[in-house]
Amino acid sequence: KVTFQPFRSTLMAATMLICFQAVARADDAALTSSQFADANALYGTHCAACHNGDRLGGMGPALLPESLTRLRGSMLNDVISNGRAATQMPAFDQVLNKTEIDLLASWLRQPLSETPSWNMANIIDSHTVFVEPNQLPVKPKFTADPLNLFTVVEAGDHHITILDGDTFTPLDRFPTRFALHGGAKYSPDGRFVYLASRDGWVQMYDLYSLQTVAEIRVGVNTRNVAVSDDGRYLMAGNMLPHTLVLLDARDLRPIKQIPVDGDHGQSSRVSAVYTAPPRQSFIIALKDFPEVWEISYADTPQPVYPGFVHNYEANMVEALDVQYGPFPVRRIRLDDGLDDFFFDQDYRYLVGAARNGRDGQVINLNIGRKIADIALEGMPHLGSGITFEYQGRPVLATPHLKDPKISVIDMESWETIKVIETLGPGFFTRSHENTPYAWVDVFFGPNKDAVHIIDKRTLEIVKTLRPEPGKVAAHVEFDRSGTHALLSIWDDDGAVIVYDANTFEEIKRLPMKKPVGKYNVFNKITYSEGTSH
Ligand code: DHE
């Protein structure tokens, strides 16, 4: 019998911890000790009830420098003053004066005096199963093709829209935790979608019955999650604390917390976690020392489900190591640190951007060392690169975050075979096996509203769209058949635009609140070469 109690954890945790005093470093040069004390008191009175006394989040999100980086300039002050539309964050401009709001905002940008911990007990305690997996219906409650659904992340008000990919009509819209980041990940059969928020929450949603099944908080600041290709495991990578957390993908129950420790007592933030299906392993990119980790989930005993629960409160990690064991960590030591990764379709090669911003490196994962350097100036955004065949050879196309260009690289010789000039640096590229075109956005600069369409056969730009002048147009995803391309107008008053992928004609415009990413079930579960994995 599953013993988790629905709905028990989050609100309780939020209210129980109000009595904790928020702590940050008093010696920070930006604030005097009396300002520091004043801010601490303001926080205790006005913020702790929702964000927790320790600033790690409760009903509201965590308020740590790590989670506030995207609120640049005075944006944090504005949120405190005016609140957040469509959330429970109220406006404080009638309660606090400007000096108090500015002080509070500066104080929230100070790090905590100690790295916050989030251990296995916290993880277990945060776990909620809303619907027992064995109570879920066998069939979808709609007639649309369940493999042609899209999960659209609406960052404007922290919601997900589930879109029918045949008719492009929404099937459901539901709230998520604060600030989802990274791609939505699916179970291999396409039934469940897993979402990770920047402040550590993982949500599991059933696409057949259109409801949330479970959620759990795996860390204080989380990077992303990956699902094993056999559908048994979910691996989450954290920035805070420096850990990996392995979950059972059937209801998110925690299996194991793995510290990311180096040789000399140091530990590392996790840059990203990926699934490598042909290797039956998770590949983990580290930020703070030059290593890539590979954790195999092959040859592990079949988990006893849910028989281990009677031992649950005892010593979970050890008990479950025996049940699931052993998840060995293979540490691949590199000469240099790498950022932003890309894999070939066989997952033999890993391409990473070197920290010097000039080169890319190719690592052969089988032999565990660098085998080639690639000339890649201008901060390539390899994570959103795509592969396709050009003149009989596999190539990789990647945008650059600093330079207005797309690099096309031969994946056999690792030579750059073409640099396609664009109207500005881009963020995402997308294509599909059934279309001759690749779509790339111009994310930065005066032409941020432009999207280029490149012919994969000639490597020439054949069309430039400007669907909403002045607003960023970015992140394309194709439907299952590759006949439609969906593009985001990246704005609170934004939209998802559906295009005919052959004629580039607009077919439909669905209003949405800053729809950042969208993910087609079929393309993701088949690891399409035109989309992110
Ligand atoms: Fe992302 C994916 C890293 C900022 C939107 N981003 C990813 C992934 C990584 C990453 C490692 C792959 C994870 C996955 O899909 O599981 N992102 C980073 C950064 O290091 C960076 C530059 C700084 C940071 O704040 O973390 C960063 N990312 C952003 C943004 O500012 C974006 C534009 C808006 C946002 O929502 O934060 C953003 N990142 C995205 C999106 C994806 C993503 C939409 C998924 C792309 C996909 O199609 O799969």
Side-chain angles (χ1 to χ4, degrees):
K1 177 169 170 299
V2 179
T3 56
F4 302 110
Q5 295 158 23
F7 308 109
R8 73 177 167 160
S9 60
T10 48
L11 284 171
M12 267 171 58
T15 41
M16 278 165 56
L17 289 170
I18 292 169
C19 53
F20 279 60
Q21 270 305 294
V23 278
R25 267 208 298 264
D27 59 352
D28 195 285
L31 295 178
T32 65
S33 53
S34 86
Q35 284 176 317
F36 185 87
D38 290 347
N40 203 359
L42 287 173
Y43 181 87
T45 308
H46 301 288
C47 318
C50 292
H51 297 278
N52 255 349
D54 54 12
R55 288 170 52 193
L56 300 191
M59 209 162 58
L63 296 178
L64 301 171
E66 292 81 358
S67 38
L68 297 171
T69 45
R70 281 159 318 110
L71 293 179
R72 298 191 180 90
S74 64
M75 283 166 77
L76 177 56
N77 313 48
D78 294 344
V79 173
I80 300 172
S81 300
N82 307 320
R84 264 186 190 278
T87 73
Q88 293 184 48
M89 173 68 187
F92 282 91
D93 59 349
Q94 301 299 312
V95 183
L96 303 173
N97 62 39
K98 184 172 181 315
T99 313
E100 289 171 322
I101 288 172
D102 290 348
L103 177 62
L104 201 46
S106 309
W107 180 81
L108 289 174
R109 295 205 188 270
Q110 314 301 319
L112 298 182
S113 54
E114 285 174 14
T115 307
S117 88
W118 195 257
N119 58 29
M120 202 60 178
N122 302 121
I123 297 171
I124 293 168
D125 208 40
S126 71
H127 184 211
T128 301
V129 176
F130 298 105
V131 190
E132 304 298 345
N134 60 9
Q135 300 298 312
L136 291 169
V138 178
K139 291 187 176 158
K141 61 191 280 191
F142 47 82
T143 52
D145 174 2
L147 295 187
N148 195 25
L149 303 182
F150 288 82
T151 301
V152 185
V153 177
E154 291 186 69
D157 62 353
H158 311 283
H159 273 67
I160 291 283
T161 290
I162 303 296
L163 203 59
D164 168 352
D166 305 332
T167 59
F168 306 108
T169 44
L171 293 174
D172 191 20
R173 189 171 193 273
F174 59 93
T176 66
R177 291 282 172 176
F178 182 76
L180 297 190
H181 177 236
K185 302 294 159 68
Y186 297 103
S187 56
D189 58 1
R191 171 160 192 166
F192 299 106
V193 60
Y194 303 92
L195 308 157
S197 82
R198 290 207 188 237
D199 59 356
W201 288 96
V202 179
Q203 181 174 3
M204 172 183 181
Y205 177 90
D206 177 28
L207 290 167
Y208 282 13
S209 60
L210 303 175
Q211 61 185 327
T212 297
V213 177
E215 73 166 3
I216 190 164
R217 191 174 190 186
V218 292
V220 172
N221 193 266
T222 293
R223 203 56 182 159
N224 76 325
V225 292
V227 182
S228 62
D229 73 308
D230 58 9
R232 287 159 61 194
Y233 305 113
L234 196 93
M235 179 72 90
N238 290 323
M239 303 273 275
L240 274 178
H242 297 174
T243 53
L244 294 157
V245 178
L246 191 68
L247 307 174
D248 188 316
R250 282 168 296 194
D251 64 0
L252 301 184
R253 68 186 54 205
I255 297 172
K256 189 171 186 176
Q257 190 183 37
I258 303 166
V260 184
D261 292 338
D263 287 329
H264 308 291
Q266 81 276 46
S267 59
S268 177
R269 295 168 293 170
V270 174
S271 204
V273 181
Y274 306 90
T275 303
R279 310 176 70 85
Q280 291 253 288
S281 66
F282 293 111
I283 307 284
I284 296 112
L286 305 187
K287 258 195 188 308
D288 298 317
F289 44 84
E291 290 185 19
V292 172
W293 286 15
E294 178 167 28
I295 298 184
S296 171
Y297 52 78
D299 298 327
T300 58
Q302 281 293 330
V304 183
Y305 183 80
F308 69 83
V309 174
H310 61 276
N311 267 336
Y312 193 69
E313 307 295 346
N315 185 340
M316 184 167 180
V317 179
E318 283 180 18
L320 292 181
D321 268 352
V322 175
Q323 296 280 344
Y324 290 85
F327 305 109
V329 178
R330 173 184 172 220
R331 292 169 60 181
I332 301 172
R333 290 160 216 268
L334 307 173
D335 296 335
D336 304 308
L338 296 178
D339 274 324
D340 211 1
F341 281 6
F342 181 84
F343 297 88
D344 71 327
Q345 287 290 97
D346 295 335
Y347 285 82
R348 188 190 315 169
Y349 298 112
L350 174 163
V351 184
R355 296 266 157 85
N356 62 17
R358 285 194 307 275
D359 307 319
Q361 298 185 14
V362 184
I363 311 297
N364 181 320
L365 288 169
N366 292 348
I367 57 176
R369 68 173 171 80
K370 182 173 86 172
I371 51 129
D373 287 306
I374 313 179
L376 268 178
E377 283 188 10
M379 250 183 135
H381 192 217
L382 289 164
S384 82
I386 53 169
T387 47
F388 55 91
E389 205 171 282
Y390 174 68
Q391 298 185 346
R393 300 169 80 86
V395 296
L396 147 68
T398 177
H400 295 252
L401 298 174
K402 287 207 169 142
D403 284 354
K405 64 185 183 188
I406 303 288
S407 296
V408 182
I409 294 152
D410 183 322
M411 292 178 70
E412 286 170 4
S413 66
W414 301 109
E415 300 287 328
T416 302
I417 54 170
K418 175 136 188 188
V419 173
I420 305 167
E421 287 181 17
T422 61
L423 287 173
F427 217 96
F428 302 106
T429 47
R430 273 292 201 278
S431 190
H432 188 284
E433 285 78 352
N434 297 342
T435 175
Y437 304 109
W439 295 49
V440 304
D441 50 59
V442 178
F443 201 85
F444 306 97
N447 292 301
K448 62 186 182 187
D449 52 2
V451 173
H452 297 301
I453 300 171
I454 295 169
D455 191 323
K456 294 190 285 188
R457 297 161 296 194
T458 58
L459 303 183
E460 300 290 341
I461 293 175
V462 290
K463 179 109 185 168
T464 298
L465 303 169
R466 283 186 197 267
E468 181 99 29
K471 290 186 178 173
V472 172
H475 196 279
V476 170
E477 175 78 309
F478 286 81
D479 63 357
R480 172 180 183 167
S481 61
T483 51
H484 297 94
L486 277 64
L487 168 69
S488 291
I489 300 299
W490 199 280
D491 191 87
D492 280 344
D493 185 17
V496 163
I497 306 179
V498 182
Y499 287 95
D500 181 311
N502 293 315
T503 62
F504 317 138
E505 294 299 321
E506 180 174 330
I507 290 180
K508 193 165 185 179
R509 199 174 273 233
L510 296 137
M512 297 217 188
K513 293 191 184 310
K514 203 174 185 189
V516 291
K518 60 207 84 57
Y519 309 93
N520 178 270
V521 174
F522 183 82
N523 296 343
K524 291 287 268 191
I525 65 174
T526 55
Y527 292 84
S528 161
E529 65 179 21
T531 192
S532 60
H533 297 166

